[in-house]
Amino acid sequence: MSNNLFNEFSPVSSKLWKQQIQYELKGADYNETLIWESPEGIKVRPFYHIDEAKDPLQVHTAAASYKIGQDIFVQDVAKSAARAQSTLERGAEALRFTIPDEKTDITTLVQGLDARVPVYFYLQFFSIDFVKKIDAVAAANGAHYYVLLDPVGNLAKEGNWHDGGDNFEQLNLLGESCKNISFVTINSALYQNAGANMVQQIAYTVGHAIEYFSRLKNVQQPYTVTVGVGSNYFFEIAKLRALRMVFSAVAKTYGVNENLHIIAVPTRRNKTLYDYNVNMLRTTTECMSAILGGADTVINLPYDAIYHKSNEFADRIARNQLLILKNESYFDKVNNPSDGAYYIEEITSQLAEKALALLKDIEAHGGFLKQLIEGNIQRKIAESAAKEQELFDNGKEVLLGTNKYPNKNDRMSADLELYPFVKANPRKTLISPVIEKRLAEKYEQQRLESETQSTTA
């Protein structure tokens, strides 16, 4: 910040820039014409200048060391193990296994993997004994694995605790016995996919974490957060940086490990069924934001993930997007690439300040879990989602190929391998779950209905 480049040029002050802009506007109001307000209530100016810049925030984002992740759903252990080796040979640098049941043989699954490869296990069940087995395998292999356990997240997403209990006591026991794994995670992507704005995402993520900070006294391993990344490019960079700031500040007060391990995944909220190739453009910028914002691992979302089962072609394209960013765009060459960018620094600061204010309000009213059980978190997210949905429905928020320049000849009804809309799942729940929903769902359902009608006519 103090070393100015191009000293041979005369400096142009912020005041002079504003005067020139006002002249170019030919009488139009500067504030009404060029300043816009984000959903978070942040007024975004047309330019940011050193005259108005604050000191750098010193957010450590080790962009140069990020890993390219690959998702693998484990049905056949031998096949999944072979696929893991194959994807590592083809450019993946980290693996996230989805484990459906306790019968999975972890020893066979990770056999032959380099101990330095980050391995994440997302369990679709809750079993202390199974987690201990993973810890034992990690110890035997000289590795450190990540087990993505999030009971509070399960309550938020499903409306119920695992096995009817809050599981905090069992997590404390794991803290005493398991030293080769990190096993507490926060599923922040849930809030993004449901339509929460960025201030809410940060505040709810850290409030979510506080529920663990205050109850888990034996956990000293780093916490893991899975973050959903949207298409507001610079704001998403700032969001990840602000999340690290707020998390670190709060973790210090609780005396827990303030190092946050971030897994970033592109959001599903803006992905579309029609003109689905545009999803590749969306995920590219989202992965760029994730890298520049300081994610530790980036796992790309295949362009057809909302309607196709996992397949080799889409997985390869998703992985290659990240390989191009790393090997051809050199995103791994600079740490802290956002430092000194006045715009990003300012947005980071404002997001952090607003998130802290919201977090303090949540804590003053009993904490995140109490607010979740009472339905206040769900209501606030639904309100933000409704505002965004209205912008989309009115054409003010654009998804190319869907509500802007749609291809009327596009047909998708014969290609659906997965149901791409919110599923009705009537069941008894302790609380109302947080509902993840894409912006284009209503529009797409109408188009699918018209396809069916034209076929039967």
Side-chain angles (χ1 to χ4, degrees):
M1 294 278 285
S2 60
N3 296 324
N4 294 321
L5 301 177
F6 310 113
N7 288 326
E8 62 269 27
F9 295 100
S10 300
V12 180
S13 69
S14 176
K15 183 178 179 180
L16 287 174
W17 272 110
K18 288 179 182 177
Q19 288 175 349
Q20 182 63 32
I21 291 170
Q22 190 66 66
Y23 172 77
E24 298 291 344
L25 287 174
K26 302 184 186 316
D29 186 87
Y30 176 90
N31 291 331
E32 292 183 5
T33 306
L34 296 180
I35 294 178
W36 59 274
E37 186 170 318
S38 78
E40 296 78 19
I42 296 174
K43 294 186 184 299
V44 181
R45 307 194 301 271
F47 74 98
Y48 290 78
H49 195 279
I50 192 172
D51 290 354
E52 301 159 333
K54 301 174 184 177
D55 291 334
L57 295 173
Q58 303 298 327
V59 184
H60 180 64
T61 55
S65 59
Y66 78 93
K67 302 297 184 184
I68 297 172
Q70 176 71 56
D71 266 327
I72 298 177
F73 184 88
V74 180
Q75 286 182 314
D76 183 296
V77 172
K79 289 182 179 178
S80 295
R83 184 183 172 198
Q85 294 286 359
S86 174
T87 56
L88 290 172
E89 291 168 2
R90 298 166 72 181
E93 300 165 324
L95 302 166
R96 182 169 66 175
F97 293 109
T98 297
I99 311 295
D101 56 57
E102 295 184 59
K103 298 177 183 178
T104 305
D105 184 350
I106 297 297
T107 301
T108 301
L109 185 63
V110 300
Q111 189 171 10
L113 291 182
D114 190 319
R116 295 169 294 181
V117 172
V119 179
Y120 308 93
F121 297 95
Y122 170 63
L123 310 186
Q124 294 186 321
F125 55 93
F126 189 89
S127 169
I128 293 297
D129 291 338
F130 192 82
V131 176
K132 289 180 178 178
K133 288 180 183 177
I134 296 175
D135 181 70
V137 172
N141 292 343
H144 184 92
Y145 296 149
Y146 300 84
V147 182
L148 307 181
L149 295 180
D150 186 10
V152 175
N154 190 79
L155 175 67
K157 183 179 175 67
E158 302 295 336
N160 288 314
W161 295 105
H162 288 291
D163 304 323
D166 61 28
N167 311 118
F168 292 127
E169 184 177 344
Q170 292 143 302
L171 290 178
N172 257 322
L173 293 175
L174 285 178
E176 294 176 355
S177 60
C178 296
K179 305 302 180 184
N180 304 284
I181 59 174
S182 295
F183 58 86
V184 182
T185 190
I186 296 98
N187 179 17
S188 177
L190 171 66
Y191 310 127
Q192 208 286 341
N193 287 323
N197 65 45
M198 292 188 195
V199 168
Q200 290 173 328
Q201 291 172 49
I202 297 167
Y204 295 165
T205 299
V206 179
H208 187 149
I210 287 173
E211 299 300 333
Y212 295 126
F213 293 167
S214 60
R215 291 173 172 84
L216 306 183
K217 305 304 181 185
N218 299 317
V219 177
Q220 292 303 318
Q221 298 92 332
Y223 280 64
T224 303
V225 172
T226 301
V227 178
V229 181
S231 59
N232 193 341
Y233 185 73
F234 293 108
F235 265 68
E236 290 291 348
I237 295 171
K239 181 182 81 178
L240 266 65
R241 299 172 83 241
L243 175 59
R244 282 199 187 275
M245 287 175 59
V246 177
F247 183 94
S248 177
V250 174
K252 278 182 182 177
T253 66
Y254 281 87
V256 301
N257 194 323
E258 62 188 86
N259 294 318
L260 183 62
H261 189 90
I262 296 179
I263 307 168
V265 183
T267 181
R268 288 174 175 261
R269 186 158 172 78
N270 65 356
K271 301 306 178 288
T272 56
L273 181 61
Y274 289 91
D275 214 346
Y276 49 75
N277 286 320
V278 181
N279 290 333
M280 280 186 270
L281 303 179
R282 297 180 182 120
T283 55
T284 297
T285 70
E286 289 158 2
C287 288
M288 290 166 69
S289 293
I291 296 164
L292 297 178
D296 294 281
T297 295
V298 182
I299 302 175
N300 196 9
L301 184 73
Y303 71 93
D304 61 353
I306 63 173
Y307 70 93
H308 262 174
K309 295 177 181 177
S310 177
N311 60 90
E312 171 59 27
F313 179 77
D315 284 348
R316 179 167 61 86
I317 293 295
R319 190 169 57 248
N320 284 350
Q321 288 173 256
L322 288 167
L323 285 168
I324 289 171
L325 291 176
K326 175 167 280 195
N327 298 324
E328 296 185 27
S329 301
Y330 307 115
F331 270 52
D332 63 337
K333 300 304 180 187
V334 180
N335 276 330
N336 304 310
S338 302
D339 278 4
Y342 308 135
Y343 177 35
I344 295 176
E345 292 273 314
E346 177 65 22
I347 300 304
T348 300
S349 180
Q350 289 200 47
L351 286 174
E353 289 173 7
K354 289 177 178 290
L356 272 173
L358 177 55
L359 181 61
K360 288 176 182 178
D361 182 72
I362 292 169
E363 293 301 302
H365 289 86
F368 179 82
L369 189 53
K370 184 175 186 291
Q371 293 286 295
L372 187 69
I373 291 172
E374 292 177 353
N376 293 322
I377 300 295
Q378 298 90 319
R379 177 173 56 81
K380 292 294 185 181
I381 292 176
E383 290 172 358
S384 293
K387 290 177 182 177
E388 187 181 21
Q389 188 69 55
E390 183 178 3
L391 291 174
F392 173 80
D393 294 343
N394 293 335
K396 294 179 180 178
E397 181 162 337
V398 174
L399 294 181
L400 288 176
T402 300
N403 67 341
K404 189 79 168 178
Y405 308 122
N407 178 3
K408 299 297 184 181
N409 297 320
D410 219 354
R411 296 289 182 270
M412 289 301 300
S413 57
D415 294 328
L416 304 184
E417 296 178 354
L418 301 172
Y419 186 69
F421 309 117
V422 173
K423 296 178 182 178
N425 183 18
R427 64 194 188 280
K428 186 176 180 179
T429 59
L430 178 65
I431 66 169
S432 297
V434 175
I435 304 298
E436 299 172 279
K437 185 178 181 181
R438 294 182 300 108
L439 286 168
E441 288 199 13
K442 182 180 178 181
Y443 181 91
E444 292 169 349
Q445 286 173 314
Q446 292 171 347
R447 286 192 65 174
L448 285 172
E449 287 177 12
S450 67
E451 279 187 46
T452 304
Q453 291 169 1
S454 63
T455 302
T456 58

